[in-house]
Coordinates of all heavy atoms in Angstrom, one line a residue:
M1 N -16.6 59.5 1.0 CA -16.4 60.1 2.3 C -17.2 59.4 3.3 O -18.4 59.0 3.1 CB -16.9 61.6 2.3 CG -16.1 62.5 1.2 SD -14.4 62.7 1.6 CE -14.4 64.3 2.4
S2 N -16.6 59.2 4.5 CA -17.3 58.5 5.5 C -17.1 59.2 6.8 O -16.0 59.7 7.1 CB -16.8 57.0 5.7 OG -17.1 56.3 4.5
V3 N -18.1 59.2 7.6 CA -18.1 60.0 8.9 C -17.7 59.0 10.1 O -18.3 58.0 10.2 CB -19.4 60.6 9.2 CG1 -19.4 61.3 10.6 CG2 -19.7 61.6 8.1
C4 N -16.7 59.4 10.8 CA -16.2 58.6 12.0 C -17.3 58.5 13.1 O -17.9 59.5 13.4 CB -15.0 59.2 12.6 SG -14.4 58.4 14.0
D5 N -17.6 57.3 13.5 CA -18.6 57.1 14.6 C -18.2 57.7 15.9 O -19.1 57.9 16.7 CB -18.8 55.6 14.8 CG -19.6 54.9 13.6 OD1 -20.2 55.6 12.8 OD2 -19.5 53.7 13.5
V6 N -17.0 58.0 16.1 CA -16.5 58.5 17.4 C -16.5 60.0 17.4 O -17.1 60.7 18.2 CB -15.2 57.9 17.8 CG1 -14.6 58.7 19.1 CG2 -15.3 56.4 18.1
C7 N -15.7 60.6 16.5 CA -15.5 62.0 16.5 C -16.2 62.8 15.5 O -16.3 64.1 15.5 CB -14.0 62.3 16.4 SG -13.3 61.9 14.7
G8 N -16.9 62.1 14.5 CA -17.7 62.8 13.5 C -16.9 63.4 12.3 O -17.4 64.1 11.5
N9 N -15.6 63.1 12.3 CA -14.8 63.6 11.2 C -15.2 62.9 9.8 O -15.3 61.7 9.8 CB -13.3 63.3 11.5 CG -12.4 63.8 10.4 OD1 -12.7 64.8 9.7 ND2 -11.2 63.3 10.3
D10 N -15.4 63.7 8.8 CA -15.8 63.2 7.5 C -14.5 63.1 6.7 O -13.9 64.1 6.3 CB -16.8 64.2 6.8 CG -17.4 63.6 5.6 OD1 -16.9 62.5 5.1 OD2 -18.3 64.3 5.0
Y11 N -14.0 61.9 6.6 CA -12.6 61.7 6.1 C -12.6 60.7 4.9 O -13.2 59.7 5.0 CB -11.8 61.2 7.3 CG -10.3 61.0 7.0 CD1 -9.6 61.9 6.4 CD2 -9.7 59.8 7.5 CE1 -8.2 61.7 6.2 CE2 -8.4 59.6 7.3 CZ -7.6 60.6 6.7 OH -6.3 60.4 6.5
D12 N -11.9 61.1 3.9 CA -11.9 60.2 2.7 C -11.2 58.9 2.9 O -11.3 58.0 2.0 CB -11.4 61.0 1.5 CG -9.9 61.4 1.6 OD1 -9.3 61.1 2.7 OD2 -9.4 61.9 0.6
Q13 N -10.4 58.7 3.9 CA -9.7 57.5 4.2 C -10.2 56.7 5.4 O -9.5 55.9 6.0 CB -8.2 57.7 4.3 CG -7.6 58.2 3.0 CD -6.0 58.3 3.1 OE1 -5.4 57.4 3.6 NE2 -5.5 59.4 2.6
A14 N -11.4 57.1 5.8 CA -12.1 56.3 6.9 C -12.3 54.9 6.5 O -12.2 54.5 5.3 CB -13.5 57.0 7.2
F15 N -12.4 54.0 7.5 CA -12.5 52.6 7.2 C -13.6 52.0 8.1 O -14.0 52.6 9.1 CB -11.1 51.9 7.5 CG -10.6 52.1 8.9 CD1 -10.9 51.1 9.9 CD2 -9.9 53.2 9.3 CE1 -10.5 51.3 11.2 CE2 -9.4 53.4 10.6 CZ -9.7 52.4 11.5
T16 N -14.0 50.8 7.7 CA -15.1 50.1 8.4 C -14.5 49.0 9.2 O -13.6 48.2 8.7 CB -16.1 49.5 7.4 OG1 -16.7 50.6 6.7 CG2 -17.2 48.8 8.2
L17 N -14.9 48.8 10.4 CA -14.5 47.7 11.3 C -15.7 46.9 11.6 O -16.7 47.4 12.1 CB -13.8 48.3 12.6 CG -13.2 47.2 13.6 CD1 -12.1 47.9 14.3 CD2 -14.3 46.7 14.5
R18 N -15.6 45.6 11.4 CA -16.7 44.7 11.8 C -16.3 43.9 13.0 O -15.3 43.1 13.0 CB -17.1 43.7 10.7 CG -18.4 42.9 11.0 CD -18.9 42.1 9.8 NE -18.0 41.0 9.5 CZ -17.4 40.8 8.3 NH1 -17.6 41.7 7.4 NH2 -16.6 39.8 8.1
A19 N -17.0 44.1 14.1 CA -16.6 43.4 15.4 C -17.0 42.0 15.4 O -17.8 41.5 14.5 CB -17.3 44.2 16.5
A20 N -16.5 41.2 16.4 CA -16.8 39.8 16.4 C -18.3 39.5 16.5 O -18.8 38.4 16.1 CB -16.1 39.2 17.6
D21 N -19.1 40.4 17.0 CA -20.5 40.2 17.2 C -21.3 40.7 15.9 O -22.5 40.6 15.9 CB -21.1 40.9 18.4 CG -20.9 42.4 18.4 OD1 -20.5 42.9 17.3 OD2 -21.2 43.1 19.4
G22 N -20.6 41.1 14.9 CA -21.2 41.4 13.6 C -21.5 42.9 13.5 O -21.8 43.4 12.4
R23 N -21.4 43.7 14.5 CA -21.6 45.1 14.4 C -20.6 45.8 13.6 O -19.4 45.4 13.6 CB -21.7 45.8 15.8 CG -22.9 45.4 16.7 CD -22.8 46.1 18.0 NE -21.6 45.7 18.7 CZ -21.0 46.4 19.7 NH1 -21.6 47.5 20.1 NH2 -19.9 46.0 20.3
E24 N -21.0 46.8 12.8 CA -20.0 47.5 11.9 C -19.9 48.9 12.4 O -20.9 49.6 12.7 CB -20.4 47.4 10.5 CG -20.3 46.0 9.9 CD -20.3 46.0 8.4 OE1 -20.6 47.0 7.7 OE2 -20.0 44.9 7.8
F25 N -18.6 49.4 12.3 CA -18.3 50.8 12.8 C -17.5 51.4 11.7 O -16.8 50.8 10.9 CB -17.5 50.8 14.1 CG -18.2 50.1 15.2 CD1 -18.0 48.7 15.4 CD2 -19.0 50.8 16.1 CE1 -18.6 48.1 16.5 CE2 -19.6 50.2 17.1 CZ -19.4 48.8 17.4
T26 N -17.6 52.8 11.6 CA -16.8 53.5 10.7 C -15.9 54.4 11.5 O -16.3 55.1 12.5 CB -17.7 54.4 9.8 OG1 -18.5 53.5 9.0 CG2 -16.8 55.2 8.8
F27 N -14.6 54.4 11.2 CA -13.6 55.2 12.0 C -12.7 56.0 11.0 O -12.4 55.5 9.9 CB -12.8 54.3 12.9 CG -13.6 53.6 13.9 CD1 -13.7 52.2 13.9 CD2 -14.3 54.3 14.9 CE1 -14.4 51.5 14.8 CE2 -15.0 53.6 15.8 CZ -15.1 52.2 15.8
D28 N -12.2 57.1 11.4 CA -11.3 57.9 10.7 C -9.8 57.6 11.1 O -8.9 58.0 10.5 CB -11.5 59.4 10.8 CG -11.4 59.9 12.2 OD1 -11.4 59.1 13.1 OD2 -11.1 61.1 12.3
S29 N -9.7 56.8 12.2 CA -8.3 56.6 12.7 C -8.4 55.3 13.7 O -9.5 55.0 14.2 CB -7.8 57.8 13.5 OG -8.7 57.9 14.7
F30 N -7.2 54.7 13.8 CA -7.2 53.6 14.8 C -7.4 54.1 16.2 O -8.0 53.4 17.0 CB -5.8 52.9 14.7 CG -5.7 52.0 13.5 CD1 -4.8 52.4 12.5 CD2 -6.4 50.9 13.4 CE1 -4.7 51.6 11.4 CE2 -6.3 50.1 12.3 CZ -5.4 50.4 11.2
E31 N -7.0 55.3 16.5 CA -7.3 55.9 17.8 C -8.8 55.9 18.1 O -9.2 55.5 19.2 CB -6.7 57.3 17.8 CG -6.8 58.0 19.2 CD -6.1 59.3 19.3 OE1 -5.6 59.8 18.2 OE2 -6.1 59.9 20.3
C32 N -9.6 56.3 17.2 CA -11.0 56.3 17.4 C -11.6 54.9 17.5 O -12.5 54.6 18.3 CB -11.7 57.1 16.4 SG -11.5 58.9 16.5
A33 N -11.0 54.0 16.7 CA -11.4 52.6 16.8 C -11.1 52.0 18.1 O -12.0 51.3 18.7 CB -10.8 51.8 15.7
I34 N -10.0 52.3 18.7 CA -9.6 51.8 20.0 C -10.5 52.3 21.0 O -11.0 51.6 21.9 CB -8.1 52.1 20.3 CG1 -7.2 51.3 19.4 CG2 -7.8 51.9 21.8 CD1 -5.8 51.8 19.3
H35 N -10.8 53.6 20.9 CA -11.7 54.3 21.9 C -13.0 53.6 22.0 O -13.6 53.4 23.1 CB -11.8 55.8 21.5 CG -12.7 56.6 22.4 ND1 -12.2 57.0 23.7 CD2 -14.0 57.0 22.3 CE1 -13.2 57.6 24.3 NE2 -14.3 57.7 23.5
R36 N -13.6 53.2 20.8 CA -14.9 52.7 20.8 C -14.9 51.2 21.0 O -15.8 50.6 21.7 CB -15.6 53.0 19.4 CG -16.9 52.3 19.2 CD -18.0 52.8 20.2 NE -18.3 54.2 20.2 CZ -19.1 54.8 19.3 NH1 -19.7 54.1 18.4 NH2 -19.2 56.1 19.4
C37 N -13.9 50.4 20.5 CA -14.0 49.0 20.4 C -13.1 48.2 21.2 O -13.4 47.0 21.5 CB -13.9 48.5 18.9 SG -15.2 49.0 17.9
A38 N -11.9 48.7 21.6 CA -11.0 47.9 22.4 C -11.5 47.6 23.8 O -12.1 48.5 24.4 CB -9.6 48.6 22.5
P39 N -11.3 46.3 24.2 CA -11.8 46.0 25.6 C -11.0 46.8 26.6 O -9.9 47.2 26.3 CB -11.6 44.5 25.7 CG -10.5 44.2 24.6 CD -10.7 45.2 23.5
Q40 N -11.6 47.0 27.8 CA -10.9 47.6 28.9 C -10.4 46.5 29.9 O -11.2 45.6 30.2 CB -11.8 48.6 29.6 CG -11.8 50.0 29.0 CD -12.6 51.0 29.8 OE1 -13.8 50.9 29.8 NE2 -11.9 51.9 30.4
C41 N -9.2 46.7 30.4 CA -8.7 45.8 31.5 C -9.7 45.8 32.7 O -10.0 46.9 33.1 CB -7.3 46.2 31.9 SG -6.7 45.2 33.2
A42 N -10.1 44.7 33.2 CA -11.0 44.6 34.3 C -10.4 45.1 35.6 O -11.1 45.4 36.5 CB -11.6 43.2 34.4
H43 N -9.1 45.2 35.6 CA -8.4 45.6 36.9 C -8.0 47.1 36.8 O -8.4 47.9 37.6 CB -7.2 44.8 37.2 CG -6.5 45.3 38.4 ND1 -7.0 45.2 39.6 CD2 -5.3 45.9 38.5 CE1 -6.2 45.7 40.5 NE2 -5.1 46.1 39.9
C44 N -7.2 47.5 35.8 CA -6.7 48.9 35.7 C -7.4 49.8 34.8 O -7.2 51.0 34.7 CB -5.2 48.9 35.4 SG -4.8 48.5 33.7
A45 N -8.3 49.2 34.0 CA -9.2 50.0 33.0 C -8.5 50.6 31.9 O -9.1 51.3 31.1 CB -10.0 51.1 33.8
C46 N -7.2 50.2 31.6 CA -6.6 50.7 30.4 C -7.2 49.9 29.2 O -7.8 48.9 29.3 CB -5.1 50.5 30.5 SG -4.5 48.8 30.2
R47 N -7.0 50.5 28.0 CA -7.5 49.8 26.8 C -6.6 48.7 26.4 O -5.4 48.9 26.4 CB -7.6 50.8 25.7 CG -8.7 51.9 25.9 CD -10.1 51.2 25.7 NE -11.2 52.2 26.0 CZ -12.4 51.9 25.9 NH1 -12.8 50.7 25.7 NH2 -13.3 52.8 26.2
V48 N -7.1 47.5 26.1 CA -6.3 46.4 25.8 C -6.3 46.4 24.2 O -7.2 46.1 23.6 CB -6.9 45.1 26.3 CG1 -6.1 43.9 25.9 CG2 -7.0 45.2 27.8
I49 N -5.1 46.8 23.7 CA -5.0 46.8 22.2 C -4.1 45.7 21.7 O -3.9 45.6 20.5 CB -4.5 48.2 21.8 CG1 -3.2 48.6 22.4 CG2 -5.5 49.3 22.1 CD1 -2.6 49.8 21.8
G50 N -3.5 44.9 22.6 CA -2.8 43.7 22.1 C -3.7 42.5 22.4 O -5.0 42.6 22.4
H51 N -3.2 41.4 22.6 CA -4.0 40.2 22.8 C -4.6 40.2 24.2 O -5.7 39.7 24.3 CB -3.1 38.9 22.6 CG -2.7 38.6 21.2 ND1 -1.6 39.1 20.7 CD2 -3.4 38.0 20.2 CE1 -1.5 38.7 19.4 NE2 -2.6 38.0 19.1
G52 N -3.9 40.7 25.1 CA -4.4 40.7 26.5 C -4.6 39.3 27.0 O -4.1 38.3 26.4
I53 N -5.3 39.1 28.2 CA -5.5 37.8 28.8 C -7.0 37.8 29.1 O -7.6 38.7 29.7 CB -4.7 37.7 30.1 CG1 -3.2 37.6 29.8 CG2 -5.1 36.5 30.9 CD1 -2.3 37.6 31.0
Q54 N -7.6 36.7 28.7 CA -9.0 36.4 29.1 C -9.1 35.4 30.2 O -8.5 34.3 30.0 CB -9.8 36.0 27.9 CG -10.1 37.0 26.8 CD -10.9 36.5 25.6 OE1 -10.3 36.1 24.7 NE2 -12.2 36.5 25.7
A55 N -9.8 35.7 31.2 CA -9.9 34.7 32.3 C -11.2 35.0 33.1 O -11.5 36.2 33.3 CB -8.7 34.8 33.3
R56 N -12.0 33.9 33.4 CA -13.2 34.0 34.3 C -14.2 35.0 33.7 O -14.9 35.7 34.4 CB -12.8 34.5 35.7 CG -11.6 33.8 36.3 CD -12.0 32.6 37.1 NE -11.0 32.3 38.1 CZ -9.9 31.6 37.9 NH1 -9.6 31.2 36.7 NH2 -9.0 31.3 38.9
G57 N -14.2 35.1 32.3 CA -15.1 36.0 31.7 C -14.7 37.5 31.6 O -15.5 38.3 31.1
F58 N -13.5 37.8 32.0 CA -13.0 39.2 32.0 C -11.8 39.2 31.1 O -11.1 38.2 30.8 CB -12.6 39.7 33.4 CG -13.8 39.9 34.3 CD1 -14.1 38.9 35.2 CD2 -14.6 41.0 34.2 CE1 -15.2 39.0 36.0 CE2 -15.7 41.1 35.0 CZ -16.0 40.1 35.9
V59 N -11.4 40.5 30.6 CA -10.2 40.7 29.9 C -9.3 41.5 30.7 O -9.7 42.5 31.4 CB -10.6 41.5 28.5 CG1 -9.3 41.8 27.8 CG2 -11.5 40.6 27.7
Y60 N -8.0 41.1 30.7 CA -7.0 41.9 31.4 C -5.9 42.3 30.5 O -5.6 41.5 29.5 CB -6.4 41.0 32.6 CG -7.5 40.6 33.6 CD1 -8.0 39.3 33.4 CD2 -7.9 41.4 34.5 CE1 -9.0 38.9 34.3 CE2 -8.9 41.0 35.4 CZ -9.5 39.8 35.3 OH -10.5 39.4 36.2
C61 N -5.2 43.4 30.8 CA -4.1 43.8 29.9 C -2.8 43.0 30.1 O -2.0 43.0 29.2 CB -3.8 45.3 30.2 SG -3.1 45.7 31.8
C62 N -2.7 42.4 31.3 CA -1.4 41.7 31.6 C -1.7 40.7 32.7 O -2.7 40.7 33.4 CB -0.3 42.6 32.0 SG -0.6 43.5 33.5
A63 N -0.7 39.8 32.9 CA -0.9 38.7 33.9 C -1.0 39.3 35.3 O -1.7 38.8 36.2 CB 0.3 37.8 33.8
H64 N -0.3 40.4 35.6 CA -0.4 41.0 36.9 C -1.8 41.4 37.2 O -2.3 41.1 38.3 CB 0.5 42.3 37.0 CG 0.2 43.1 38.2 ND1 -0.6 44.3 38.1 CD2 0.6 43.0 39.4 CE1 -0.7 44.8 39.3 NE2 0.0 44.1 40.1
C65 N -2.4 42.1 36.3 CA -3.8 42.5 36.5 C -4.7 41.3 36.7 O -5.7 41.4 37.5 CB -4.3 43.4 35.4 SG -3.6 45.1 35.5
A66 N -4.5 40.2 36.0 CA -5.3 39.0 36.1 C -5.1 38.4 37.5 O -6.0 38.0 38.2 CB -5.0 38.0 35.0
R67 N -3.8 38.3 37.9 CA -3.5 37.7 39.2 C -4.1 38.5 40.4 O -4.7 37.9 41.3 CB -2.0 37.6 39.4 CG -1.3 36.5 38.6 CD 0.1 36.2 39.1 NE 1.0 37.4 39.0 CZ 1.7 37.7 38.0 NH1 1.7 37.0 36.9 NH2 2.5 38.8 38.0
V68 N -4.0 39.8 40.4 CA -4.6 40.5 41.5 C -6.1 40.6 41.5 O -6.7 41.0 42.4 CB -4.0 42.0 41.6 CG1 -2.5 41.9 41.8 CG2 -4.3 42.8 40.4
S69 N -6.7 40.1 40.4 CA -8.1 40.0 40.3 C -8.6 38.6 40.5 O -9.8 38.3 40.2 CB -8.6 40.5 38.9 OG -8.2 41.9 38.7
G70 N -7.7 37.7 41.0 CA -8.2 36.4 41.4 C -7.9 35.3 40.4 O -8.6 34.3 40.4
V71 N -6.9 35.5 39.5 CA -6.5 34.5 38.6 C -5.0 34.2 38.8 O -4.2 34.6 38.1 CB -6.8 34.9 37.1 CG1 -6.5 33.7 36.1 CG2 -8.2 35.5 36.9
P72 N -4.8 33.4 39.9 CA -3.3 33.2 40.3 C -2.5 32.5 39.3 O -1.2 32.7 39.3 CB -3.5 32.4 41.6 CG -4.8 31.8 41.5 CD -5.7 32.7 40.8
E73 N -3.1 31.7 38.4 CA -2.3 31.0 37.4 C -1.8 31.8 36.2 O -1.1 31.4 35.4 CB -3.0 29.8 37.0 CG -4.3 30.0 36.1 CD -5.5 30.2 36.9 OE1 -5.5 30.7 38.1 OE2 -6.6 30.0 36.4
A74 N -2.3 33.1 36.1 CA -2.0 33.9 34.9 C -0.5 34.2 35.0 O 0.0 34.6 36.0 CB -2.8 35.2 34.9
T75 N 0.1 34.1 33.8 CA 1.5 34.4 33.7 C 1.8 35.2 32.4 O 1.2 34.9 31.4 CB 2.3 33.1 33.8 OG1 3.7 33.5 33.7 CG2 2.0 32.1 32.7
D76 N 2.8 36.1 32.4 CA 3.3 36.8 31.2 C 4.3 36.0 30.5 O 4.6 36.3 29.3 CB 3.9 38.1 31.6 CG 2.9 39.2 31.9 OD1 1.9 39.3 31.2 OD2 3.2 40.0 32.9
N77 N 4.9 34.9 31.1 CA 6.0 34.3 30.6 C 5.8 32.8 30.7 O 5.5 32.3 31.8 CB 7.3 34.7 31.4 CG 8.5 34.3 30.7 OD1 8.6 33.2 30.0 ND2 9.6 35.1 30.9
A78 N 5.9 32.0 29.6 CA 5.7 30.6 29.6 C 6.8 29.8 30.2 O 6.7 28.6 30.5 CB 5.4 30.1 28.2
E79 N 8.0 30.5 30.4 CA 9.1 29.8 31.0 C 8.8 29.5 32.5 O 8.2 30.3 33.2 CB 10.4 30.7 31.0 CG 10.8 31.0 29.6 CD 11.5 29.9 28.9 OE1 11.9 28.9 29.6 OE2 11.6 29.9 27.7
Q80 N 9.2 28.3 33.0 CA 9.0 28.0 34.4 C 10.1 28.7 35.2 O 11.3 28.7 34.7 CB 9.1 26.5 34.6 CG 7.9 25.7 34.0 CD 6.6 26.1 34.6 OE1 6.5 26.2 35.8 NE2 5.6 26.3 33.8
P81 N 9.8 29.3 36.3 CA 10.8 29.9 37.1 C 11.8 28.8 37.6 O 11.5 27.7 37.8 CB 10.1 30.4 38.4 CG 8.6 30.1 38.2 CD 8.4 29.4 36.9
A82 N 13.1 29.2 37.7 CA 14.1 28.3 38.0 C 13.9 27.7 39.5 O 13.4 28.4 40.3 CB 15.5 28.9 37.9
Ligands
ZN1 ZN1 -12.6 59.7 14.7
ZN2 ZN1 -4.6 46.1 33.5

């Protein structure tokens, strides 16, 4: 049995997540893992649970949020406009 670091649930299927900086966390659900560990978009503050976009030392959820935050070259689509 392991206790979730976020909600305190003692759950037999809890799992351990080791972050890039080496810290380890115990969670009973991905929801709690996202709450604690997922980066937040520097523009709209939503949790970034996909790849997101990193630019100028910040993480953004999408190219729009990066562009309006001063990263004009950010794009969601690698295709060149016609
Ligand atoms: Zn939890
Ligand atoms: Zn955003």
Side-chain angles (χ1 to χ4, degrees):
M1 301 292 264
S2 295
V3 176
C4 176
D5 289 342
V6 172
C7 69
N9 185 23
D10 191 353
Y11 183 46
D12 64 353
Q13 294 186 46
F15 57 93
T16 299
L17 183 152
R18 190 172 67 241
D21 63 6
R23 290 179 301 159
E24 290 197 350
F25 302 90
T26 300
F27 299 114
D28 64 338
S29 65
F30 285 109
E31 184 172 2
C32 286
I34 290 165
H35 180 77
R36 174 63 60 84
C37 291
Q40 276 186 286
C41 175
H43 177 67
C44 73
C46 75
R47 291 288 176 182
V48 180
I49 59 172
H51 289 93
I53 292 176
Q54 289 179 266
R56 316 267 203 278
F58 294 98
V59 176
Y60 301 97
C61 67
C62 64
H64 165 263
C65 284
R67 284 195 302 270
V68 298
S69 299
V71 189
E73 68 273 25
T75 178
D76 281 320
N77 191 329
E79 299 285 343
Q80 291 297 316

